Amino acid sequence: MTTSCRNCPLRRRALFDPIESDELDFMQRFKSGELSVDADTLLMMEGSNSPQLFTVLSGMGLRYKTLPNGRRQVVNFVFPGDFLGLQAGVMNEMKHSVEATTSMTLCVFNRSELWNLFKNHPGRAYDLVWLASLEEHFLGDALTAVGQRDALERISWSFHRIYIRMTELGLVTGQGCQLPYRQQDLADALGLSLVHTNKTLKKLRDMQVASWNEGRLTVSDLDRLAELAMVDDHHVETRPLI
Amino acid sequence: MTTSCRNCPLRRRALFDPIESDELDFMQRFKSGELSVDADTLLMMEGSNSPQLFTVLSGMGLRYKTLPNGRRQVVNFVFPGDFLGLQAGVMNEMKHSVEATTSMTLCVFNRSELWNLFKNHPGRAYDLVWLASLEEHFLGDALTAVGQRDALERISWSFHRIYIRMTELGLVTGQGCQLPYRQQDLADALGLSLVHTNKTLKKLRDMQVASWNEGRLTVSDLDRLAELAMVDDHHVETRPLI
DNA sequence: CGAACTATTGACACCCCTCAAGACCCGTGG
DNA sequence: CCACGGGTCTTGAGGGGTGTCAATAGTTCG
């Protein structure tokens, strides 16, 4: 059975502009197959040179870098629709590892087709730059959070960001969404220790703002959460505009 | 007098592959002029929509984000050869501010020509993705530094990164290079307080590893610096390879 | 000469890290 | 069936790294 590629970022614009038939044809050739992996599978490894690019169709994961002393920085949480491997596609080496935290299904692309995409489908190439710029923006925000906010603010910020993101993906049901990670993962993402992360989560729970239990995030007071996170707007474009 | 664009990243490949004459012609049209600004000039403002893109020809600056409570995260130091405004070019809004810390000269491009670049010059478009991916990589490294390293390691890391970068640019003379920033700028880049940054700089100086006085960074023991910074290799591609 | 900015240094407080122990869950094997 | 081990979550105690406050000195500039 074939899952649809509707979440693929390279097709995002298709939601607005009718895609030309020769482009559809190209996308078929660009897509080389689908991949299903179990939880805890290492998808890409720091320093390696993956010959393939992925789009996440379902499931979740995380990107991380490791230091010589064993510490780990989680760079990003991977959600459906995310594009993996652009760095390896364009430079010749992944700069972080990618791991599945649940079972995932992925859309697989040929890296070797990337150049054809630039040559014959400038619109898709433009989408790629847009995507890379969006990543850069999010990373800058994360850096600001880790560099300038205290523990309660950081966790509030991450929950707010995740909740907004999940809402855009249509994955919020009721007041919450699935968030299948360990507290250690969040700690490594925010530059906090596991213990302090745990205690801060309890505080946020006691404040009746948000709670995260058994892999499910529940937000009961989004306004308060945004206030604690010190975010004003967080409007995100979902389409290239040129 | 017209300064050469040899540092422009869009021309980087020209150092290796002979650029075609029609591309040269296009670059001429793409480039709309040059700009000279004094120190402390605000080049781009967070949230604004700049109609222009810049390449730094000379001088230095910094990119930063500000929080509602007034705190500031320096996202990156801006050196000659850097490309400014890609975010605004591709999304419709800058996600950080850019400020000059010395007088600067900039190469100015028309944002409206960006689409032509994608349509008619896939090689240059590819360079743009490469550039955006490189930025993403550096930001990820910075996030790792701020999230996982202590004060001495962070400052060592930043000095090491700056020194390598300056070496690639050919701006290292003797054992050091110009680094025209305030201690407050470095503190805001690394998520440290000004006072603690100052004390840690003194420690690094006393250890005879590196010192930073009167706008000049001097590295006397690069190996020790790399060791403190916990970086193993730091090999950087200087050219797209596809 | 005074105002403003930056660098420097000491004193003190506190946020957060580390260490440690216990609870709970789950898989495995005796 | 229950014992055992490993993983994760939780909580307490204590210490250290880092932030904040404060004061001094040097420089530039009007």
Side-chain angles (χ1 to χ4, degrees), chain B residues 57-78:
Chain B
L57 297 178
S58 69
M60 301 185 189
L62 40 81
R63 312 178 200 238
Y64 60 88
K65 289 172 182 260
T66 44
L67 268 65
N69 65 359
R71 302 195 62 162
R72 178 182 76 144
Q73 174 68 40
V74 170
V75 172
N76 212 344
F77 296 110
V78 175

Side-chain angles (χ1 to χ4, degrees), chain A residues 118-145:
Chain A
F118 273 88
K119 207 139 126 199
N120 302 321
H121 302 276
R124 303 289 151 252
Y126 192 92
D127 290 353
L128 273 187
V129 178
W130 177 81
L131 210 59
S133 286
L134 192 64
E135 285 295 330
E136 185 188 336
H137 160 53
F138 279 147
L139 267 183
D141 264 12
L143 180 61
T144 305

Side-chain angles (χ1 to χ4, degrees), chain A:
Chain A
M1 193 186 85
T2 303
T3 315
S4 132
C5 254
R6 92 172 65 87
N7 276 329
C8 172
L10 295 178
R11 295 286 300 276
R12 197 185 306 249
R13 184 193 282 192
L15 297 173
F16 302 89
D17 300 334
I19 203 165
E20 297 139 40
S21 63
D22 65 327
E23 285 207 314
L24 248 179
D25 181 52
F26 171 76
M27 293 307 287
Q28 295 296 359
R29 264 187 301 115
F30 190 32
K31 173 173 177 176
S32 79
E34 277 187 27
L35 179 65
S36 290
V37 298
D38 291 334
D40 300 323
T41 304
L42 192 59
L43 287 171
M44 305 182 145
M45 203 169 59
E46 197 171 348
S48 75
N49 177 358
S50 161
Q52 294 168 328
L53 312 176
F54 302 111
T55 286
V56 180
L57 297 177
S58 69
M60 300 184 190
L62 40 83
R63 311 178 202 239
Y64 61 87
K65 288 172 183 262
T66 45
L67 267 65
N69 65 0
R71 301 194 62 160
R72 179 183 75 145
Q73 175 69 40
V74 169
V75 172
N76 212 346
F77 296 109
V78 175
F79 294 154
D82 279 1
F83 194 60
L84 306 176
L86 183 56
Q87 283 187 351
V90 106
M91 293 140 82
N92 271 318
E93 184 181 325
M94 281 304 288
K95 299 303 185 181
H96 54 252
S97 302
V98 182
E99 195 177 303
T101 56
T102 69
S103 62
M104 298 178 80
T105 60
L106 304 149
C107 186
V108 185
F109 298 111
N110 283 324
R111 179 184 147 181
S112 54
E113 290 285 341
L114 201 56
W115 177 242
N116 282 333
L117 187 144
F118 273 88
K119 207 139 126 199
N120 302 321
H121 302 276
R124 303 289 151 252
Y126 192 92
D127 290 353
L128 273 187
V129 178
W130 177 81
L131 210 59
S133 286
L134 192 64
E135 285 295 330
E136 185 188 336
H137 160 53
F138 279 147
L139 267 183
D141 264 12
L143 180 61
T144 305
V146 174
Q148 305 300 330
R149 291 183 237 252
D150 67 22
L152 188 63
E153 294 165 343
R154 280 184 225 183
I155 292 192
S156 300
W157 172 82
S158 67
F159 278 178
H160 183 263
R161 175 150 152 33
I162 288 169
Y163 191 79
I164 297 294
R165 182 85 196 287
M166 286 297 196
T167 302
E168 288 169 350
L169 287 173
L171 295 178
V172 171
T173 59
Q175 284 190 313
C177 57
Q178 291 306 115
L179 194 63
Y181 301 94
R182 296 168 300 146
Q183 293 185 359
Q184 184 71 62
D185 296 326
L186 186 62
D188 288 345
L190 299 177
L192 297 169
S193 71
L194 169 62
V195 173
H196 199 63
T197 300
N198 181 290
K199 288 172 179 169
T200 308
L201 285 170
K202 174 176 168 56
K203 191 181 290 185
L204 212 54
R205 208 183 311 134
D206 291 345
M207 293 168 71
Q208 313 234 0
V209 174
S211 69
W212 178 33
N213 290 316
E214 291 157 22
R216 183 172 179 80
L217 171 66
T218 307
V219 174
S220 30
D221 190 340
L222 186 57
D223 289 340
R224 191 73 208 290
L225 191 62
E227 193 181 329
L228 287 171
M230 295 194 298
V231 292
D232 357 52
D233 196 6
H234 218 85
H235 173 64
V236 174
E237 285 296 343
T238 55
R239 181 170 80 113
L241 286 183
I242 210 169

Side-chain angles (χ1 to χ4, degrees), chain B residues 136-223:
Chain B
E136 186 188 335
H137 160 52
F138 280 146
L139 268 182
D141 264 11
L143 180 60
T144 305
V146 174
Q148 305 301 330
R149 291 184 235 251
D150 67 23
L152 188 63
E153 294 165 343
R154 280 184 225 182
I155 293 191
S156 300
W157 172 83
S158 68
F159 279 177
H160 180 76
R161 175 149 152 34
I162 289 169
Y163 191 79
I164 296 294
R165 182 84 194 287
M166 285 298 195
T167 302
E168 288 169 351
L169 288 172
L171 295 178
V172 171
T173 59
Q175 284 191 315
C177 58
Q178 291 306 115
L179 194 62
Y181 300 96
R182 296 167 300 146
Q183 293 186 359
Q184 183 72 63
D185 296 326
L186 186 62
D188 288 345
L190 299 178
L192 297 169
S193 72
L194 169 62
V195 173
H196 199 63
T197 299
N198 181 292
K199 289 172 179 170
T200 308
L201 285 171
K202 174 177 168 54
K203 191 180 292 186
L204 213 52
R205 208 183 311 134
D206 292 345
M207 292 168 71
Q208 312 234 3
V209 174
S211 70
W212 176 32
N213 290 316
E214 292 158 22
R216 182 171 179 83
L217 171 66
T218 307
V219 175
S220 30
D221 191 341
L222 186 56
D223 288 341

Side-chain angles (χ1 to χ4, degrees), chain B residues 1-194:
Chain B
M1 194 187 84
T2 303
T3 315
S4 131
C5 255
R6 91 171 65 87
N7 276 329
C8 172
L10 294 178
R11 295 285 298 279
R12 197 184 307 247
R13 183 192 286 193
L15 296 174
F16 303 87
D17 300 336
I19 202 166
E20 297 140 41
S21 64
D22 65 325
E23 284 206 316
L24 247 179
D25 181 54
F26 172 75
M27 293 306 288
Q28 293 298 358
R29 267 188 297 114
F30 190 32
K31 172 174 177 176
S32 80
E34 278 186 26
L35 179 65
S36 290
V37 299
D38 291 333
D40 300 324
T41 304
L42 192 59
L43 286 172
M44 306 183 145
M45 202 169 58
E46 196 171 348
S48 74
N49 177 359
S50 162
Q52 294 167 327
L53 312 176
F54 302 111
T55 285
V56 181
L57 297 178
S58 69
M60 301 185 189
L62 40 81
R63 312 178 200 238
Y64 60 88
K65 289 172 182 260
T66 44
L67 268 65
N69 65 359
R71 302 195 62 162
R72 178 182 76 144
Q73 174 68 40
V74 170
V75 172
N76 212 344
F77 296 110
V78 175
F79 293 155
D82 279 3
F83 194 60
L84 305 176
L86 183 56
Q87 283 187 353
V90 104
M91 295 142 79
N92 271 317
E93 186 182 324
M94 281 304 287
K95 300 303 185 182
H96 54 253
S97 302
V98 182
E99 197 177 302
T101 56
T102 69
S103 62
M104 299 178 80
T105 60
L106 304 148
C107 186
V108 185
F109 298 111
N110 283 324
R111 178 184 148 181
S112 53
E113 290 286 342
L114 202 56
W115 177 242
N116 282 332
L117 188 144
F118 273 89
K119 209 139 120 198
N120 302 321
H121 302 275
R124 303 289 151 252
Y126 192 91
D127 290 352
L128 273 187
V129 178
W130 178 80
L131 211 59
S133 284
L134 191 63
E135 284 295 330
E136 186 188 335
H137 160 52
F138 280 146
L139 268 182
D141 264 11
L143 180 60
T144 305
V146 174
Q148 305 301 330
R149 291 184 235 251
D150 67 23
L152 188 63
E153 294 165 343
R154 280 184 225 182
I155 293 191
S156 300
W157 172 83
S158 68
F159 279 177
H160 180 76
R161 175 149 152 34
I162 289 169
Y163 191 79
I164 296 294
R165 182 84 194 287
M166 285 298 195
T167 302
E168 288 169 351
L169 288 172
L171 295 178
V172 171
T173 59
Q175 284 191 315
C177 58
Q178 291 306 115
L179 194 62
Y181 300 96
R182 296 167 300 146
Q183 293 186 359
Q184 183 72 63
D185 296 326
L186 186 62
D188 288 345
L190 299 178
L192 297 169
S193 72
L194 169 62

